[in-house]
Amino acid sequence: MRVYHNQLEVRTSGKGTYEVTEEIQEKLDKANVRNGTVTIFVQHTSCSLTLMENAAPAARRDVERFFEKLVPEDADYEHNDEGPDDMPSHIRMVLTRTSETVPIVDGKMQLGTWQGIFLFEHRRDPHRRRVHLTIIGE
Amino acid sequence: MRVYHNQLEVRTSGKGTYEVTEEIQEKLDKANVRNGTVTIFVQHTSCSLTLMENAAPAARRDVERFFEKLVPEDADYEHNDEGPDDMPSHIRMVLTRTSETVPIVDGKMQLGTWQGIFLFEHRRDPHRRRVHLTIIGE
Amino acid sequence: MRVYHNQLEVRTSGKGTYEVTEEIQEKLDKANVRNGTVTIFVQHTSCSLTLMENAAPAARRDVERFFEKLVPEDADYEHNDEGPDDMPSHIRMVLTRTSETVPIVDGKMQLGTWQGIFLFEHRRDPHRRRVHLTIIGE
């Protein structure tokens, strides 16, 4: 058993979902851990992590539109000095996830057929986002 | 320290919450890990995982009704070719969870008094759902 | 590699977010694990766990107000015999998180600059809340 740390940088070009499944699998291939888990941890408070449907782009757009309506930019927020997309980004992040732990068997993440891993960017401006990977296994 | 993989199959008969706490504890008993964690990972994008109140069935029905209202079937979704319950299932899954990691002490999951582990089925039709368990410990 | 269990007790004085980042880091310092993960697990169904912005108190108040509106106390709940704040607490808990796993490098949690770890209390009355920590590493 050992612990292996790694990092991804995700360059976002505004609000939306960015798939990182393949980049994570490539890091696992290099780490050469056959059995264990990978914990994916997003180090930010204005973007988040989600696993979801990765085949239909329309489904991703529906998810993004749902969050635009549920947590609107034009609500009356007390914390409003960093732009209209700032406070909604913090709330959307609380409603989604920061970390997920995915099983690894025979070196491969055990995702379902339609599961992809996404960074969910909630800010309008481009950002460089850091995703920490911790692989525990043998 | 070792890694132990296992799987549950959950047969659902339509929308609702299905408790899997006991089935998971039985798998732990067989694995005979005394101290560590179990990571519960749902391998689907139209059902999800949640820990919640397991004593009052009325509380579970209230949770289910809340999600029916928050993510309605009759909204105007772009991705609508797999039935009215399909796109809401993906959104409800993003709003809940895919993985949870539960501590194991003396062979038992350290759940609170009222905590149960549930598969949250978001589709109307019956499904066979796969839940992967990764036990790490000693 | 080893497993180390620990517990926090958080005394809440009513609804709100209570930061526990420093208390958790202190427990890690004592455990003296240099590399690995800490899994934070809340053992309750009427409070939850969230990572979020820890610098601006106004942002936390906006998050709290958002949940008051999204899951109102005065909705028509079937499970209503434990007070108007009970059923909303279970739903808010389903919408947020029970466990998060945070990487540890050189003995320190790898949180982003603005990330704090919070217990999110959903009940009006004071409570003593138990948070279980499982540290896995070397």
Side-chain angles (χ1 to χ4, degrees):
Chain A
M1 294 279 295
R2 63 198 181 101
V3 181
Y4 187 94
H5 293 288
N6 216 316
Q7 288 228 332
L8 283 187
E9 187 185 80
V10 184
R11 293 184 184 213
T12 64
S13 54
K15 287 183 177 190
T17 47
Y18 297 80
E19 185 160 14
V20 292
T21 317
E22 278 186 33
E23 285 94 325
I24 294 173
Q25 185 59 55
E26 283 167 18
K27 299 284 189 185
L28 296 187
D29 293 345
K30 282 181 191 160
N32 200 27
V33 168
R34 307 305 299 166
N35 282 292
T37 56
V38 54
T39 295
I40 305 154
F41 184 84
V42 171
Q43 296 177 299
H44 301 276
T45 62
S46 58
C47 66
S48 51
L49 184 69
T50 183
L51 279 90
M52 63 173 175
E53 231 278 336
N54 74 347
R60 287 162 60 179
R61 288 191 294 268
D62 279 325
V63 168
E64 292 163 16
R65 275 188 289 258
F66 176 84
F67 278 90
E68 286 294 320
K69 272 194 192 169
L70 184 67
V71 193
E73 289 201 354
D74 60 358
D76 187 24
Y77 300 111
E78 180 184 352
H79 177 75
N80 59 11
D81 48 355
E82 294 174 49
D85 58 330
D86 182 59
M87 195 56 230
S89 77
H90 297 312
I91 296 173
R92 290 170 195 187
M93 177 262 183
V94 170
L95 284 166
T96 49
R97 306 141 191 202
T98 299
S99 73
E100 290 275 8
T101 297
V102 181
I104 303 168
V105 176
D106 292 338
K108 298 294 168 195
M109 284 192 286
Q110 297 300 291
L111 298 172
T113 312
W114 309 108
Q115 277 182 317
I117 305 168
F118 294 86
L119 184 108
F120 197 171
E121 175 61 75
H122 304 304
R123 299 301 308 264
R124 293 178 176 189
D125 288 337
H127 281 83
R128 293 187 184 195
R129 300 305 199 171
R130 292 187 319 275
V131 179
H132 191 102
L133 307 178
T134 311
I135 307 161
I136 292 183
E138 55 197 7
Chain B
M1 293 278 295
R2 64 197 180 103
V3 180
Y4 187 94
H5 293 289
N6 216 316
Q7 288 228 333
L8 283 187
E9 186 185 79
V10 185
R11 293 183 184 212
T12 64
S13 54
K15 287 183 175 190
T17 47
Y18 297 81
E19 185 159 14
V20 292
T21 316
E22 279 186 32
E23 285 93 325
I24 295 173
Q25 184 60 53
E26 283 167 18
K27 299 284 190 185
L28 298 187
D29 293 345
K30 282 180 192 161
N32 200 26
V33 168
R34 307 306 299 165
N35 282 292
T37 56
V38 54
T39 295
I40 305 153
F41 183 84
V42 171
Q43 294 177 300
H44 301 275
T45 62
S46 57
C47 66
S48 51
L49 184 70
T50 184
L51 278 91
M52 64 172 174
E53 232 280 334
N54 74 347
R60 286 162 61 179
R61 288 192 293 268
D62 278 327
V63 167
E64 292 163 17
R65 274 189 288 260
F66 177 84
F67 278 89
E68 286 295 321
K69 272 194 191 170
L70 184 68
V71 194
E73 290 201 354
D74 60 357
D76 187 24
Y77 300 112
E78 179 185 353
H79 177 75
N80 58 10
D81 47 356
E82 295 174 47
D85 57 329
D86 182 59
M87 195 56 230
S89 77
H90 296 313
I91 296 174
R92 291 170 195 185
M93 177 261 182
V94 170
L95 285 166
T96 48
R97 306 140 191 200
T98 299
S99 73
E100 291 275 6
T101 298
V102 181
I104 302 168
V105 176
D106 293 338
K108 299 291 168 197
M109 284 192 287
Q110 297 300 291
L111 298 172
T113 311
W114 309 109
Q115 276 182 318
I117 305 169
F118 294 85
L119 183 108
F120 197 171
E121 175 61 74
H122 304 305
R123 299 302 305 265
R124 293 178 177 190
D125 288 336
H127 281 82
R128 293 188 183 194
R129 300 304 200 172
R130 292 186 320 274
V131 179
H132 190 103
L133 306 179
T134 313
I135 306 161
I136 292 183
E138 58 197 7
Chain C
M1 293 279 295
R2 63 197 180 101
V3 181
Y4 187 93
H5 293 289
N6 216 315
Q7 287 228 333
L8 282 187
E9 188 185 79
V10 184
R11 293 184 185 214
T12 64
S13 54
K15 287 183 175 190
T17 48
Y18 297 81
E19 186 160 12
V20 292
T21 317
E22 279 187 31
E23 284 94 326
I24 294 173
Q25 184 60 53
E26 282 167 18
K27 299 284 190 185
L28 298 186
D29 293 345
K30 283 181 191 161
N32 200 28
V33 168
R34 306 306 297 165
N35 281 292
T37 55
V38 55
T39 295
I40 305 153
F41 183 84
V42 170
Q43 295 178 299
H44 301 275
T45 63
S46 58
C47 66
S48 51
L49 184 71
T50 183
L51 278 90
M52 65 172 174
E53 233 279 337
N54 74 347
R60 286 163 60 180
R61 288 191 295 267
D62 280 326
V63 168
E64 292 162 16
R65 274 188 289 258
F66 176 84
F67 278 90
E68 287 293 322
K69 272 195 193 168
L70 184 68
V71 193
E73 289 201 356
D74 59 357
D76 187 23
Y77 300 111
E78 180 185 351
H79 177 74
N80 59 11
D81 48 355
E82 295 175 47
D85 57 329
D86 182 59
M87 194 57 230
S89 77
H90 296 312
I91 297 174
R92 290 170 195 185
M93 177 262 185
V94 170
L95 284 166
T96 49
R97 305 137 191 207
T98 300
S99 73
E100 291 276 6
T101 297
V102 182
I104 303 169
V105 176
D106 294 338
K108 299 292 168 197
M109 283 192 288
Q110 297 301 290
L111 298 172
T113 312
W114 310 108
Q115 275 182 319
I117 304 168
F118 294 86
L119 183 107
F120 197 170
E121 176 61 75
H122 303 305
R123 300 303 306 264
R124 293 178 177 189
D125 288 336
H127 281 82
R128 292 188 183 195
R129 300 304 200 172
R130 293 186 318 274
V131 180
H132 190 104
L133 307 177
T134 311
I135 306 160
I136 292 183
E138 57 197 9

